[in-house]
Amino acid sequence: MTIHHLNCGSVRRIEATYPGREPAAAVNRWLLHCGDAYYHHRELDDEPHPHPILDMVQTGFEVHRDLRLGTQARLRELVHRHGDEVTLISAHDPWEWQRLRRESAPA
């Protein structure tokens, strides 16, 4: 499996091999670590739905609300246009982390 990792403007390629997997089963996608850009994956839905508890933390620590919401809008557009090519992950969403762990586990 080849994973392209993009974080803070730097790109690096990660090679991962799983025992027993055929090369045809490999996935070739971009992985974008979004840091603090959002706290819950549903914030990137077409109709954003923040998590009630995580949203209190997020808004409590935000410095520039308009910039934060603008970044989320750009990430939403990225997923809308290139969702089949890129996977986004937040530093704060445990449900997203668990989903990605399940999807990347060896068969």
Side-chain angles (χ1 to χ4, degrees):
M1 175 189 324
T2 300
I3 301 171
H4 300 284
H5 183 263
L6 172 65
N7 188 10
C8 300
S10 65
V11 178
R12 70 183 164 132
R13 194 169 131 189
I14 301 170
E15 298 275 344
T17 306
Y18 295 128
R21 286 234 174 147
E22 296 296 320
V27 177
N28 191 8
R29 296 175 57 89
W30 289 92
L31 177 62
L32 176 60
H33 190 288
C34 300
D36 295 335
Y38 65 95
Y39 276 42
H40 187 253
H41 57 277
R42 301 245 3 240
E43 292 178 77
L44 300 182
D45 290 351
D46 290 336
E47 298 277 333
H49 297 283
H51 186 277
I53 303 293
L54 293 176
D55 194 50
M56 286 191 303
V57 174
Q58 181 173 226
T59 56
F61 284 102
E62 71 187 3
V63 177
H64 298 287
R65 180 175 177 79
D66 55 339
L67 293 177
R68 179 179 66 83
L69 295 176
T71 297
Q72 286 182 1
R74 287 190 301 280
L75 291 172
R76 205 172 290 115
E77 181 67 19
L78 175 66
V79 170
H80 180 71
R81 290 182 180 211
H82 302 285
D84 60 333
E85 301 172 68
V86 65
T87 299
L88 277 56
I89 185 168
S90 162
H92 301 285
D93 189 331
W95 300 278
E96 192 171 54
W97 172 250
Q98 288 301 320
R99 179 183 56 82
L100 290 173
R101 285 189 60 192
R102 280 191 309 272
E103 289 176 2
S104 64

